[in-house]
């Protein structure tokens, strides 16, 4: 194993041009599975949401879910794709215990939607990401690996399979390769997934939460010298957050550049992204690529979406997120740069919902882009997963506006909310963090501070009002910060006859 | 004292409905018959006496309450072990499913139950419906009631033999390349394959999904038609199920029984009549039947189907390809056999050992053949090309049916052959399906009707009709039956 | 098309998870060779412009409404399983990673 120090990103990207591609899987939020009537709701004891079809029992047959097809067409339309006038499902054959039939019903050379695009903003520039295809398939069950140290497959002595999730409808969206983005490749990748999420969420067809697995992302990366043909690409899996998308591209570029600079070759392989270390490691290498022996699914008849129906769906599409954002940016009175920060933080909808819950846009923005964004970055998670809801943030601000909390206390309360202790009001009361409003107690604390600091008190009486700051500090200390600093200052000056 | 087992299904239904005899009596008579002869015939893999008697009593109760009974209420029936029966062992003739009790009924079985037919048990078959002799059953072969040292045909030899041996007046089979018709032919019974999609595949353990078709086995054409109407029809659980009414096959059978085929054009496929396919005795019986049909007013027209010669090769690419995928689910994880799990081996090893132990040689051959035909690099030349040949064969049928009403041929080139005579060279076995396969690829209906004997063994006459024109073939079949009569095998007692 | 080699048959057996014996490999190789040569006859047909038939029924758009239908009970689902643990299907250690 070589111990070369890796270059920095800037050093790495200096000599190369990257090409990226992204493959995302979206779990649809339909009531039932793709090919059977089993419910899709979460929770439930293992193997209680299964039937002969999704268990792959002998003799079972699939029947396609109309709502899933409609949702897929809408996704394709929202991504500016052409919708196939005739297409089929196909079998993808391979053995794995989480796949009951040991083949997956998917689509192969006849996807439902093709040839679209999605525009994203990166550093003020618009980048058009081509969409190669959008197709429908069924998800696998869940396997628990037992006996190994980490719960992962390596070292496990056995595995336990639950088929509750087997057969959930999955939409696969594949971009065309994206060249010409240079050093911004990581940002472009992240911006694409962010925007794609917004588009799909706007359609109401999926929760698209990366942390819950309803949006999964694989990233392809290759490097080439300027003027050369595109290089060999690697596929990186296990990319579970927007931040990871960006990091995965960045570290893979660094790795590939380092290999190529040293005169080595990039191996076409699947790599796994590690959240802890931020790097990618190779998966199990295979001598040859898997031959899935695709053939048209004989148990399902072709899909021929009625053009009139497709036109109706297209006409009924909601406002594209980009236009919606422009509209919101105007109503919030933000500059392009400020709006971009909001978008990059994945905070548009969060702020919108917080405003809907009663806060001002400015206050919502302050919390989401300030304290909560800081926490999200530290924990390496997406903003939506940080542990506070828009309603809670609005409630917090209401408490501040009402004088029950000051800014500092509010941050402490927020800590409690994020930790799962309950609503802001509940945390405030449980922890006794409310601003002390009892004038008697406050006056007592002020008098105490004055008595303890006679020199400072004398200065203030003499007119050095600025010295009040030290006494304010002392009162804040005795009240454990649970006082309104401004009110304390006024009280001090009043008591000393200097106001 | 009437021997109830010698009555037809139509007769039994009538006598039960009129109250002359109870359904329970009829069922007992058949259970007794099974006890008496199945030791020799081995048509059944599982007899469900309790379930059968309960179903029979339910029919009797209904009749006592003067409730409406269906056309086959109380009639005993045997079911090929490839269709799931809830709580009752279903093996598909394979060790890999030994003891498996499905948690659900196939649609066909559900309809049989709803109609009040009495399911006696599950019949023997070539493993996973792959074969033409039932010799590939993992549970031992079935013996042809006409000659216990000969095959009863396959893959549905058990169903045909049960009917031929009077163990049941009716049976359900499935036909992918001839697995209902060819056993019908070599056992002297009627076997019909409906239009593909005419009977539901939900609960049919899949062999070749685009070809598998459940259908009726009986001793008379009318009985087969009655069963056809009970089991057929659209099923929302099967996406390839035809959403149209069942063709009026009973009416057509009754019409055919009058013996008048004036104006009916029978197409004789020149490529089939070339002679190098079938045994002379079979051809002789076939031509005698043709003569009988012309006496009834039918006209014989020679038609050419130039691509029929490629049907067998195309089938032996398409069917194994689909089966290689369909059988992947038998892996020892969720149901069935598991072998080799000693705490050290990996899942991949256990799967491989399980499938090695659980599948017989013909199944393994077809899985590997199918895997090959679908492989990248070979797909276009094999599976892809076979699907194109399928289109051309369909065109041949369409063109033929512009000239004639039905096509006719011998059902199978050979009469029942001795055990072991075609198992060393698999392709020799495949030739048994030479005449039956084309209509499977086209998706059309086909029926085999006994038409005579050759060296004392039954010969079957095949009639094929356009898709969804199943009634046409029943009419001609019934007419032929009225002219040549039914066949009775030698007695099994003593 | 050419004959199929013993190695190719061994490869097919691995692909289809069949732990065939050495003896079986010899027998199967010979038999598959014969069968392949026979089925290769489909290649004699000129069919460049012919569309393949994947379904003989001319149906399209057979769909199901997105409405829940009763499942199996857990007992029914696990009833046929060779090995169950914690209400899940237990399998020995898996070598391959998820695709």
């Amino acid at each position: 194993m070589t111990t070369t120090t890796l270059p920095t990103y800037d050093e790495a990207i200096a000599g190369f041009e990257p090409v990226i591609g992204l493959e995302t899987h979206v779990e649809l939020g339909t009531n039932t599975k793709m090919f059977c009537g089993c419910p899709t709701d979460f929770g439930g004891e293992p193997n209680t949401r299964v039937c002969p079809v999704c268990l792959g029992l002998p003799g079972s047959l699939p029947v396609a879910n109309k709502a899933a097809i409609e949702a897929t067409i809408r996704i394709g339309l929202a991504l500016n794709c052409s919708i196939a006038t005739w297409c089929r499902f196909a079998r993808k054959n391979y053995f794995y215990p989480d796949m009951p039939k040991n083949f997956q019903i998917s689509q192969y050379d006849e996807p439902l939607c093709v040839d679209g695009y999605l525009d994203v903003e990166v550093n003020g520039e618009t980048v058009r990401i081509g969409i190669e295809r959008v197709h429908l398939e069924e998800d696998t069950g869940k396997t628990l690996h037992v006996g190994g140290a980490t719960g992962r497959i390596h070292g496990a002595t056995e595995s336990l399979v639950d088929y509750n999730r087997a057969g959930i409808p999955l939409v696969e969206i594949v971009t065309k390769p994206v060249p010409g983005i240079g050093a911004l490749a990581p940002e472009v990748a992240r911006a694409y997934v962010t925007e794609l999420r917004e588009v799909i969420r706007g359609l109401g067809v999926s929760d698209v939460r990366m942390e819950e697995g309803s949006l999964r992302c694989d990233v392809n990366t290759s490097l080439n010298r300027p003027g050369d043909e595109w290089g060999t690409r690697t596929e990186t899996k296990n990319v579970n957050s927007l931040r990871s998308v960006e990091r995965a591209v960045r570290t893979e570029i660094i790795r590939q550049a380092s290999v190529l600079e040293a005169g080595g070759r990039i191996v076409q392989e699947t790599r796994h992204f590690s959240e802890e270390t931020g790097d990618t490691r190779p998966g199990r290498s295979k001598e040859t690529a898997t031959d899935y022996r695709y053939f048209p699914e004989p148990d399902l008849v072709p899909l021929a979406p009625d053009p009139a129906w497709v036109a109706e769906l297209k006409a009924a599409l909601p406002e594209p997120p980009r236009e919606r954002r422009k509209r919101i940016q105007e109503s919030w009175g933000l500059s392009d740069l400020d709006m971009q920060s909001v978008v990059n933080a994945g905070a548009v909808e969060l702020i919108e919902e917080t405003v809907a819950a009663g806060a001002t846009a400015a206050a919502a923005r302050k919390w989401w882009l300030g304290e909560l964004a800081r926490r999200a970055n530290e924990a390496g998670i997406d903003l939506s997963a940080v542990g506070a809801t828009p309603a809670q943030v609005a409630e917090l601000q209401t408490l501040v506006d009402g004088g029950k909390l000051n800014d500092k206390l509010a941050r402490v309360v927020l800590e409690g909310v994020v930790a799962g202790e309950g609503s802001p009001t509940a945390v405030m009361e449980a922890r006794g963090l409310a601003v002390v409003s009892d004038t008697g107690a406050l006056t007592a604390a002020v008098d105490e501070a004055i008595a303890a600091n006679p020199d400072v008190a004398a200065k203030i009486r003499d007119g050095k009002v600025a010295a009040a700051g030290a006494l304010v500090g002392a009162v804040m200390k005795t009240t454990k910060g649970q006082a309104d600093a401004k009110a304390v200052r006024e009280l001090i000056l009043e008591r000393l006859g200097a106001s | 004292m009437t021997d109830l087992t010698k009555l037809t299904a139509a007769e039994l239904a009538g006598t039960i409905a009129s109250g002359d005899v109870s359904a329970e009596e009829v069922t007992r008579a058949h259970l007794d018959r099974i006890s008496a002869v199945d030791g020799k015939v081995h048509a059944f893999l599982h007899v469900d006496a309790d379930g059968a008697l309960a179903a029979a009593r339910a029919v009797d109760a209904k009749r006592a309450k003067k409730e409406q009974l269906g056309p086959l209420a109380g009639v005993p029936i045997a079911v090929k072990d490839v269709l799931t029966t809830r709580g009752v062992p279903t093996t598909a003739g394979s060790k890999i499913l030994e003891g498996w009790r499905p948690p659900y009924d196939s649609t066909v079985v559900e309809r049989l139950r709803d109609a009040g037919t009495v399911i006696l048990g599950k019949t023997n078959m070539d493993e996973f419906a792959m074969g033409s002799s039932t010799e590939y059953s993992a549970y031992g072969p079935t013996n042809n009631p006409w000659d216990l040292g000969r095959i009863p045909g396959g893959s549905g030899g058990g169903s045909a033999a049960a009917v031929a041996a009077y163990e049941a007046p009716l049976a359900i089979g499935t036909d992918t390349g001839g697995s209902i018709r060819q056993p019908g032919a070599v056992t002297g019974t009627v076997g019909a394959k409906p239009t593909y999609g005419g009977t539901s595949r939900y609960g049919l353990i899949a062999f070749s999904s685009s070809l598998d078709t459940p259908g009726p086995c009986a001793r008379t054409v009318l009985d087969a038609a009655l069963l056809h109407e009970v089991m057929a029809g659209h099923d929302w659980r099967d996406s390839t199920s035809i959403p149209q009414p069942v063709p009026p096959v009973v009416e057509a059978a009754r019409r055919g029984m009058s013996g008048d085929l004036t104006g009916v054009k029978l197409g004789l496929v020149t490529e089939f009549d070339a002679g190098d396919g079938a045994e002379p005795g079979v051809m002789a019986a076939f031509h005698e039947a043709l003569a009988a049909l012309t006496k009834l007013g039918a006209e014989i027209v020679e038609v050419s189907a130039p691509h029929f010669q490629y049907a067998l090769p195309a089938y032996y690419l398409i069917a194994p390809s689909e089966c290689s995928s369909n059988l992947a689910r038998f892996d020892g994880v969720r149901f069935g056999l598991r072998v080799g799990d000693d705490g050290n081996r990996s899942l991949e090893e256990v799967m491989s050992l399980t499938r090695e132990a659980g599948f017989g040689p013909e199944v393994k051959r077809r899985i590997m053949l199918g895997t090959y035909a679908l492989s990248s690099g070979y797909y276009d030349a094999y599976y892809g090309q076979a699907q194109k040949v399928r289109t051309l064969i369909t065109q041949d049928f369409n063109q033929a049916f512009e000239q004639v009403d039905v096509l006719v041929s011998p059902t199978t080139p050979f009469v029942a052959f001795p055990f072991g005579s075609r198992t060393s060279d698999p392709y020799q076995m495949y030739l048994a399906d030479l005449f039956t396969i084309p209509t499977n690829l086209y998706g059309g209906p086909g029926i085999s009707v006994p038409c005579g004997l050759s060296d004392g063994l039954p010969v079957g006459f095949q009639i094929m009709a356009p898709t969804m024109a199943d009634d046409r073939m029943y009419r001609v079949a019934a007419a032929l039956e009225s002219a040549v009569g039914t066949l009775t095998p030698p007695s099994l007692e003593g | 098309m050419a004959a199929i080699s013993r190695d190719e048959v061994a490869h097919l057996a691995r692909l289809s998870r069949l732990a065939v014996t050495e003896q079986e490999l010899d027998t199967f190789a010979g038999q598959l060779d014969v069968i392949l040569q026979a089925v290769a006859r489909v290649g004699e047909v000129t069919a460049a412009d012919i569309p393949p038939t994947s379904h003989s029924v001319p149906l399209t758009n057979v769909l199901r409404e997105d409405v829940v239908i009763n499942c199996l009970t857990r007992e029914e689902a696990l009833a046929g399983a060779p090995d169950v643990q914690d209400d899940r299907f237990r399998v020995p250690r898996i070598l391959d990673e998820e695709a």
Side-chain angles (χ1 to χ4, degrees):
Chain A
M1 196 161 145
T2 55
T3 50
T4 16
T5 4
L6 289 171
T8 63
Y9 178 72
D10 291 333
E11 286 168 351
I13 199 66
F16 295 97
E17 286 172 357
V19 178
I20 57 170
L22 290 109
E23 211 176 277
T24 47
H25 284 88
V26 175
E27 264 183 38
L28 291 179
T30 51
N31 297 324
T32 61
K33 295 186 177 183
M34 185 63 223
F35 297 114
C36 67
C38 286
T40 56
D41 54 326
F42 270 97
E45 296 297 300
N47 294 304
T48 55
R49 289 178 180 20
V50 294
C51 73
V53 178
C54 57
L55 269 184
L57 293 187
S60 61
L61 292 173
V63 186
N65 182 332
K66 186 172 178 189
I69 290 168
E70 184 176 310
T72 309
I73 292 175
R74 292 178 70 220
I75 290 174
L77 289 169
L79 294 176
N80 305 292
C81 293
S82 308
I83 308 302
T85 49
W86 186 92
C87 68
R88 290 173 293 191
F89 288 99
R91 290 194 187 177
K92 181 180 183 182
N93 297 284
Y94 64 100
F95 285 85
Y96 207 80
D98 64 4
M99 260 199 340
K101 301 184 291 293
N102 284 317
F103 62 82
Q104 180 196 36
I105 301 179
S106 176
Q107 293 192 294
Y108 178 49
D109 51 355
E110 298 165 356
L112 192 45
C113 321
V114 291
D115 207 24
Y117 62 86
L118 184 63
D119 290 336
V120 302
E121 310 285 325
V122 183
N123 272 19
E125 301 281 312
T126 305
V127 179
R128 174 156 291 191
I129 312 281
I131 304 291
E132 182 74 48
R133 53 186 283 153
V134 178
H135 78 247
L136 246 189
E137 57 188 35
E138 52 177 351
D139 204 357
T140 62
K142 294 275 172 276
T143 320
L144 278 181
H145 304 299
V146 176
T150 55
R152 290 220 307 248
I153 199 171
H154 302 288
T157 51
E158 57 191 13
S159 298
L160 304 174
V161 195
D162 169 19
Y163 295 104
N164 281 356
R165 305 301 292 166
I168 298 288
L170 222 51
V171 174
E172 181 172 322
I173 302 163
V174 183
T175 68
K176 298 183 182 172
V178 188
I181 44 176
L184 286 176
E187 286 86 346
V188 170
R190 181 182 178 146
Y192 166 74
V193 180
T194 309
E195 187 67 13
L196 183 65
R197 247 183 79 213
E198 293 301 305
V199 168
I200 294 175
R201 234 205 335 227
L203 294 171
V205 297
S206 169
D207 287 339
V208 274
R209 290 195 196 288
M210 290 183 85
E211 66 279 6
E212 279 175 16
S214 47
L215 174 65
R216 306 169 208 166
C217 200
D218 299 334
V219 188
N220 294 333
T221 320
S222 75
L223 292 180
N224 57 275
R225 297 277 184 199
D228 280 358
E229 272 183 19
W230 294 350
T232 307
R233 60 162 195 211
T234 60
E235 181 188 30
T236 304
K237 294 177 103 80
N238 196 42
V239 181
N240 296 333
S241 69
L242 294 173
R243 188 160 164 268
S244 299
V245 170
E246 194 177 324
R247 284 170 85 204
V249 174
R250 195 181 301 274
T251 57
E252 186 56 13
I253 285 176
I254 291 174
R255 185 193 74 85
Q256 287 194 15
S258 162
V259 167
L260 290 170
E261 288 290 8
R265 248 187 67 246
I266 301 297
V267 176
Q268 180 168 354
E269 60 182 352
T270 300
R271 299 180 70 85
H272 292 275
F273 180 72
S274 161
E275 290 287 340
E276 301 90 52
T277 62
D279 63 16
T280 65
R281 25 197 106 128
R284 177 170 223 88
S285 71
K286 298 178 184 172
E287 303 97 53
T288 47
T290 314
D291 177 9
Y292 294 113
R293 301 185 298 284
Y294 286 98
F295 67 100
E297 170 58 78
D299 288 332
L300 292 168
V301 296
L303 295 174
D306 176 17
W309 177 54
V310 172
E312 265 173 45
L313 291 176
K314 185 163 182 179
L317 286 179
E319 186 184 23
R322 288 186 83 212
E323 285 170 31
R324 195 175 120 253
R325 281 196 300 272
K326 282 201 180 79
R327 195 171 42 77
I328 288 170
Q329 182 181 338
E330 249 170 272
S331 82
W332 290 349
L334 297 181
S335 68
D336 283 354
L337 211 57
D338 283 344
M339 188 63 190
Q340 193 58 45
S341 310
V342 172
V343 171
N344 286 348
V348 177
E349 194 165 299
L350 292 164
I351 293 174
E352 252 198 320
E353 286 173 25
T354 308
V355 167
T360 62
R365 207 168 118 242
K366 181 192 103 177
W367 288 112
W368 285 106
L369 263 62
E371 187 65 24
L372 291 168
R374 186 183 62 74
R375 283 174 185 283
N377 284 334
E378 263 169 25
I381 55 177
D382 286 340
L383 199 52
S384 54
V386 83
T389 67
Q392 287 168 338
V393 171
E395 192 187 314
L396 186 71
Q397 186 59 37
T398 309
L399 292 171
V400 171
D401 292 339
K404 291 236 175 72
L405 291 173
N406 58 29
D407 195 70
K408 205 151 153 210
L409 290 170
R411 282 169 207 281
V412 179
V413 167
L414 190 56
E415 205 179 275
V417 171
V418 163
E421 290 168 27
S423 76
T425 310
V427 173
M428 180 182 76
E429 281 165 10
R431 289 207 197 181
L433 289 168
V435 163
V436 171
S437 49
D438 174 4
T439 5
L442 208 55
T443 314
V446 165
D447 288 344
E448 207 186 297
I450 290 172
N453 298 281
D455 304 332
V456 181
K459 279 199 190 125
I460 296 169
R461 281 200 195 90
D462 281 346
K464 287 220 171 87
V465 166
L471 288 184
V472 170
V475 173
M476 291 305 277
K477 220 164 154 190
T478 13
T479 60
K480 295 197 188 70
Q482 286 173 245
D484 179 17
K486 195 155 160 274
V488 167
R489 190 174 185 281
E490 276 174 23
L491 200 51
I492 290 170
L493 295 176
E494 202 191 291
R495 294 303 266 179
L496 295 173
S499 54
Chain B
M1 173 73 188
T2 331
D3 182 352
L4 292 170
T5 64
K6 296 294 193 306
L7 297 181
T8 66
E11 287 165 343
L12 285 169
T15 194
I16 290 168
S18 67
D20 290 341
V21 75
S22 72
E24 184 170 343
E25 257 183 275
V26 170
T27 293
R28 281 195 192 281
H30 286 85
L31 289 172
D32 289 343
R33 175 71 180 169
I34 292 171
S35 300
V37 305
D38 208 52
K40 291 180 186 164
V41 179
H42 190 232
F44 283 87
L45 291 178
H46 180 87
V47 177
D48 181 19
D50 290 342
L53 289 167
R57 287 182 197 123
V59 171
D60 288 333
K62 249 183 125 171
R63 208 202 74 78
K65 282 190 258 175
K66 305 240 197 293
E67 282 173 34
Q68 178 85 342
L69 294 179
L72 289 177
V75 177
I77 188 165
V79 176
K80 185 178 181 183
D81 209 19
V82 76
L83 288 153
T84 61
T85 39
R86 188 183 178 150
V88 171
T90 302
T91 67
S94 179
K95 276 275 184 271
I96 215 165
L97 278 180
E98 188 167 20
W100 182 57
R101 288 174 192 264
Y104 75 107
D105 271 336
S106 50
T107 297
V108 163
V109 164
E110 204 178 78
R111 290 184 183 176
L112 291 179
R113 294 197 207 278
D114 288 346
T117 60
V118 174
I119 298 174
L120 295 171
K122 311 300 288 299
T123 55
N124 200 11
M125 53 183 284
D126 281 301
E127 188 181 2
F128 287 109
M130 301 182 207
S132 307
S133 67
T134 309
E135 288 171 287
Y136 293 131
S137 166
Y139 299 98
T142 295
N143 307 318
N144 193 324
W146 284 78
D147 178 341
L148 297 172
R150 291 176 183 264
I151 55 99
S155 59
S159 280
V163 166
Y166 302 98
E167 294 174 281
L170 298 173
I172 303 282
T174 63
D175 192 305
T176 305
S179 295
I180 291 177
R181 290 164 286 159
Q182 183 255 8
V186 303
T187 57
T189 56
V190 177
K193 175 192 121 35
T195 298
Y196 173 85
T199 46
S200 171
R201 288 185 302 117
Y202 185 72
L204 165 50
I205 298 176
F207 156 31
S208 182
S209 315
S210 72
L211 303 171
D212 293 343
T213 313
C217 311
R219 290 190 294 269
T220 68
V221 174
L222 179 61
D223 278 1
L226 287 165
L227 181 51
H228 187 133
E229 282 193 7
V230 163
M231 62 188 288
H234 182 248
D235 179 15
W236 71 266
R237 282 165 292 194
D238 173 0
S239 300
T240 59
S241 173
I242 295 176
Q244 284 166 42
V246 179
V249 297
V250 171
E251 184 195 309
R254 291 197 198 280
R255 186 170 168 217
M257 282 157 81
S258 73
D260 180 10
L261 290 180
T262 318
V264 176
K265 293 204 171 91
L266 312 176
L268 191 60
V269 178
T270 31
E271 287 79 4
F272 277 171
D273 209 31
D276 31 296
E279 288 171 351
V282 168
M283 290 312 287
F286 171 67
H287 280 283
E288 275 174 39
L290 275 182
L293 287 169
T294 38
K295 282 217 190 74
L296 297 179
E299 188 193 328
I300 309 222
V301 179
E302 285 206 6
V303 292
S304 173
H307 301 97
F308 276 23
Q309 59 172 312
Y310 301 105
L312 198 75
Y315 172 85
Y316 278 102
L317 282 168
I318 293 168
S321 296
E322 293 182 354
C323 101
S324 70
S325 178
N326 285 327
L327 267 60
R329 71 191 68 202
F330 298 97
D331 60 4
V333 173
R334 288 158 300 283
F335 49 82
L337 187 70
R338 180 187 286 193
V339 162
D341 187 7
D342 62 357
N344 278 324
R345 294 201 174 96
S346 69
L347 174 62
E348 287 81 356
E349 288 173 277
V350 170
M351 265 192 199
S352 300
L353 289 168
T354 298
R355 291 159 64 80
E356 162 68 12
F359 289 144
E362 183 60 29
V363 169
K364 286 178 193 163
R365 273 191 290 269
R366 296 202 195 189
I367 288 175
M368 289 190 286
L369 183 58
T371 304
Y372 187 80
L374 291 173
S375 296
S376 148
Y378 295 114
Y379 181 102
D380 289 337
Y382 287 120
Y383 183 77
Q385 183 72 357
Q387 296 284 48
K388 293 183 172 190
V389 167
R390 193 171 172 175
T391 305
L392 291 169
I393 288 172
T394 300
Q395 285 176 13
D396 282 359
F397 271 102
N398 288 333
Q399 279 161 24
F401 286 130
E402 279 168 16
Q403 304 167 61
V404 298
D405 298 304
V406 297
L407 294 178
V408 295
S409 77
T411 302
T412 181
F414 351 101
V415 294
F417 43 88
F419 287 114
S421 58
R422 288 179 182 269
T423 44
S424 49
D425 179 356
Y427 210 76
Q428 287 304 308
M429 186 71 80
Y430 297 166
L431 290 172
D433 299 331
L434 193 63
F435 303 133
T436 46
I437 275 175
T439 200
N440 288 97
L441 294 175
Y442 159 64
I447 191 170
S448 177
V449 196
C451 68
L453 297 174
S454 164
D455 284 335
L457 293 167
V459 175
F461 186 94
Q462 179 179 228
I463 304 153
M464 295 168 271
T467 53
M468 285 313 274
D470 307 39
D471 48 312
R472 253 189 243 182
M473 74 183 187
Y474 275 96
R475 180 183 167 206
V476 176
L480 179 59
E481 185 186 69
S482 75
V484 305
T486 56
L487 297 178
T488 308
S491 166
L492 284 166
E493 283 90 338
Chain C
M1 291 280 163
I4 188 168
S5 72
R6 196 175 181 281
D7 278 349
E8 280 176 293
V9 176
H11 176 63
L12 290 173
R14 264 193 308 275
L15 272 182
S16 27
R17 297 284 191 271
L18 292 169
V20 298
T21 63
E22 291 301 308
Q23 215 169 342
E24 276 179 304
L25 265 185
D26 291 326
T27 318
F28 285 150
Q31 291 172 334
L32 286 175
D33 189 35
V34 169
I35 297 169
L36 268 173
Q37 288 193 51
V39 299
R41 280 201 68 207
V42 293
E44 290 169 19
V45 181
T46 324
D49 301 326
I50 308 291
T53 298
S54 54
H55 299 86
S56 53
V57 284
L59 293 171
T60 56
N61 296 336
V62 173
L63 304 172
R64 172 182 58 83
E65 293 300 323
D66 190 24
V67 173
V68 173
I69 296 168
N70 284 336
C71 313
L72 293 175
T73 63
R74 183 179 38 225
E75 290 66 43
E76 285 171 323
L78 297 171
D83 198 353
V84 175
Q85 193 174 300
D86 296 342
D87 294 328
R88 292 175 173 83
F89 296 86
R90 188 207 149 271
V91 298
R93 63 194 172 87
I94 304 165
L95 290 179
D96 290 334
E97 285 172 355
E98 278 121 300

